[in-house]
């Protein structure tokens, strides 16, 4: 019996949406699921108990950040990521390639790997597929990602084709180098928003029989309708009975549109980063708490939300915290936004189990205005 068995419970007759159960060595995940981002080993501002209270079960950490600081061997000596975070649920690590291009300086890519300078101290480093596997094995996440090449959204087709084929060659090297049988290694499909290249990438990765597949190369600046269109011709090429993970996505509407197009797993910094900046997602649409209209607002941030920010405090108080730069503001809004995202995924799962995926989409859009 595989350590990572994925069981489909229902497929929505009105869309490509699926509801499932995904077993991992650190517990079973109900899909579709949203993974909060804990880049450097913490979901910023929250204790593990607060994070669990949002409904999150699985979290994402970043190889790039942890490899630079404190280093993979240190995390291993401290007991591995689950002990380090004190998180008993599943953890996924991204392989680092994407973060190098978005954060590091002077990054250069060759067939061997990526050389770059640390954004912390400028030291020269290089990341190869083999090193990305070794680092992620030291870190000890349940799900790890191949090292891939994610081109910018506006890259010419020739560049995207080269990135697809290099991603495939690197996937082979990752598959070869990966040792730990208690970790699931996911392949990452590239191809921009070009149907022939997406199919080329997905079909080249199928023979590796990865336990799950990620759709990379999106949420890099392309218009949302282009992302949705790309999913429509990409997910059907991926195995029905394996989890599909859309990287770096997204806004609440993107989660709904992604689920309706066959995606099971998501991660995004949006709920946590926007929360820290005073922007809340609510049942009736986004709320910018620093707006003067909330000065004397005695009501809850979101009347339908069970989280501490909504149950215990007024909008006026939350706004006050942000106006004073008090650390409790970002903490409470991070709690709220992650609770909102988890409740949205729960509602989606229930709608799929009842065969009303499109109706759920219409009802949410009507309320968000
Ligand atoms: N290995 C790998 N990792 C990826 C991570 C990604 N993350 C994104 N998008 C994140 C976009 C993003 C960035 C910032 C904010 C915010 O500040 O709110 C929101 C979304 N696209 C991504 C694509 C890849 C990819 O192909 N390969
Ligand atoms: Zn709330």
């Amino acid at each position: 019996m595989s350590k990572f068995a994925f069981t489909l419970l229902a497929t929505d007759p009105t869309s490509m949406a699926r509801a499932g159960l995904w077993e991992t060595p650190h517990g079973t995940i109900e899909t579709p699921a949203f993974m909060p981002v804990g880049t450097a080993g913490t979901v910023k501002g929250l204790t593990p108990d607060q994070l669990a209270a949002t409904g999150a079960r699985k979290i994402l950490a970043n190889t790039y950040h942890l490899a630079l600081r404190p280093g993979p061997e240190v995390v291993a000596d401290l007991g591995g990521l689950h002990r380090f975070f004190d998180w008993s649920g599943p953890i996924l690590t991204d392989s680092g390639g994407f973060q190098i291009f978005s954060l590091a300086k002077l990054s250069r890519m060759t067939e061997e790997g990526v050389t770059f300078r640390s954004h912390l101290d400028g030291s020269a480093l290089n990341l190869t597929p083999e090193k990305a596997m070794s680092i992620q094995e030291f870190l000890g996440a349940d799900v790890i990602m191949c090292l891939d090449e994610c081109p910018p959204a506006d890259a010419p087709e020739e560049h995207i084709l080269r990135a697809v084929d290099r991603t495939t060659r690197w996937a082979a090297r990752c598959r070869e180098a990966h040792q730990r049988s208690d970790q699931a290694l996911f392949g990452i499909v590239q191809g921009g928003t070009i149907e022939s290249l997406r199919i080329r990438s997905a079909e080249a990765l199928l023979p590796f029989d990865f336990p799950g597949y990620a759709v990379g190369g999106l949420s890099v600046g392309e218009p949302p309708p282009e992302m949705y269109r790309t999913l429509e011709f990409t997910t059907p090429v991926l195995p029905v009975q394996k989890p599909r993970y859309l990287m770096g996505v997204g806004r609440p509407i993107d989660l709904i549109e992604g689920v309706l197009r066959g995606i099971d797993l998501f991660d995004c910094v949006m709920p946590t980063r926007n929360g820290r900046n005073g922007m809340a997602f609510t049942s009736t649409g986004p709320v910018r708490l620093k707006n003067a209209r909330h000065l004397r607002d005695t009501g809850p941030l979101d009347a339908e939300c069970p989280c501490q920010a909504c149950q215990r405090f007024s909008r006026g108080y939350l706004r006050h915290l942000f106006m004073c730069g008090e650390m409790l503001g970002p903490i409470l809004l991070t709690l709220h936004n992650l609770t909102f995202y988890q409740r949205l995924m729960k509602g989606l799962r229930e709608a799929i189990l009842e065969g009303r995926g499109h109706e759920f989409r219409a009802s949410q859009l009507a309320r968000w205005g």
Side-chain angles (χ1 to χ4, degrees):
M1 183 65 172
S2 154
K3 291 189 180 75
F4 291 91
F6 181 56
T7 309
L8 280 180
L9 299 176
T11 299
D12 178 24
T14 70
S15 72
M16 295 164 65
R18 312 107 68 78
L21 291 174
W22 188 33
E23 291 171 42
T24 79
H26 282 88
T28 299
I29 302 288
E30 294 177 304
T31 65
F34 176 81
M35 299 180 283
V37 176
T39 290
T42 157
V43 175
K44 292 177 172 37
L46 300 191
T47 65
D49 291 348
Q50 288 175 319
L51 181 57
T54 68
R57 289 291 166 271
K58 185 172 172 136
I59 54 182
L60 178 140
N62 274 309
T63 295
Y64 171 78
H65 298 78
L66 291 165
L68 294 188
R69 184 173 56 182
E73 293 81 355
V74 171
V75 173
D77 289 349
L78 292 173
L81 274 182
H82 292 85
R83 177 72 209 95
F84 192 58
F85 261 77
D86 192 20
W87 183 257
S88 60
I91 298 175
L92 179 146
T93 44
D94 195 355
S95 50
F98 183 83
Q99 287 74 31
I100 288 171
F101 289 107
S102 49
L103 286 171
K105 302 181 205 55
L106 304 173
S107 56
R108 241 171 36 80
M109 181 177 279
T110 65
E111 185 60 23
E112 185 51 22
V114 195
T115 57
F116 60 96
R117 287 198 175 277
S118 158
H119 71 290
L120 298 175
D121 60 12
S123 56
L125 298 150
N126 78 313
L127 189 63
T128 63
E130 293 76 16
K131 271 194 184 172
M133 293 300 101
S134 159
I135 291 168
Q136 292 181 87
E137 291 194 330
F138 270 112
L139 296 176
D142 302 281
V143 182
I144 68 172
M145 306 307 290
C146 284
L147 185 67
D148 60 325
E149 180 181 349
C150 172
D154 58 357
E157 183 161 344
E158 171 53 29
H159 178 174
I160 299 173
L161 169 61
R162 283 202 313 274
V164 163
D165 292 347
R166 173 164 287 162
T167 293
T168 304
R169 292 192 298 273
W170 282 5
R173 286 170 55 185
C174 288
R175 194 86 165 115
E176 183 60 32
H178 184 229
Q179 305 286 327
R180 283 183 64 162
S181 63
D182 62 343
Q183 290 180 317
L185 170 62
F186 275 26
I188 304 176
V189 177
Q190 291 292 342
T193 57
I194 301 166
E195 183 167 5
S196 60
L197 295 185
R198 281 286 170 183
I199 292 170
R200 179 187 180 102
S201 181
E203 288 183 342
L205 293 173
L206 292 178
F208 294 110
D209 192 24
F210 287 115
Y213 288 83
V215 179
L218 291 174
S219 191
V220 289
E222 77 284 352
E226 279 297 281
M227 172 165 74
Y228 306 158
R229 187 180 61 84
T230 301
L231 293 178
E232 281 159 17
F233 51 68
T234 303
T235 52
V237 187
L238 298 176
V240 168
Q241 79 289 2
K242 292 184 177 178
R244 299 148 179 180
Y245 162 32
L246 178 55
M247 306 185 86
V249 176
R251 301 167 304 158
I253 182 59
D254 300 323
L255 300 186
I256 295 176
E257 300 291 8
V259 165
L260 294 180
R261 290 166 177 79
I263 298 292
D264 307 300
L265 296 167
F266 301 83
D267 87 271
C268 192
V269 296
M270 189 166 272
T272 41
R273 188 166 295 173
N274 285 22
R276 292 196 298 276
N277 299 326
M279 189 274 180
F281 296 98
T282 77
S283 316
T284 53
V287 170
R288 279 163 186 70
L289 271 177
K290 294 177 188 169
N291 191 306
R293 76 163 70 99
H294 305 301
L295 176 65
R296 291 183 170 78
D297 190 335
T298 56
L301 175 57
D302 187 338
E304 298 177 21
C305 180
C307 89
Q308 281 205 53
C310 298
Q311 292 297 316
R312 302 181 65 165
F313 307 105
S314 67
R315 285 190 181 193
Y317 173 70
L318 295 174
R319 179 180 179 278
H320 164 72
L321 292 177
F322 278 95
M323 300 316 283
C324 303
E326 284 293 339
M327 61 193 287
L328 186 58
I331 291 172
L332 288 173
L333 245 64
T334 298
L335 265 177
H336 168 76
N337 280 349
L338 289 180
T339 302
F340 180 84
Y341 268 56
Q342 294 302 335
R343 290 177 62 239
L344 175 63
M345 298 313 277
K346 184 169 184 296
L348 259 170
R349 276 196 302 274
E350 287 164 0
I352 296 162
L353 289 168
E354 294 161 15
R356 49 181 184 79
H358 270 290
E359 183 198 304
F360 180 84
R361 174 183 179 281
S363 67
Q364 292 301 318
L365 285 178
R367 304 192 67 196
W368 293 340

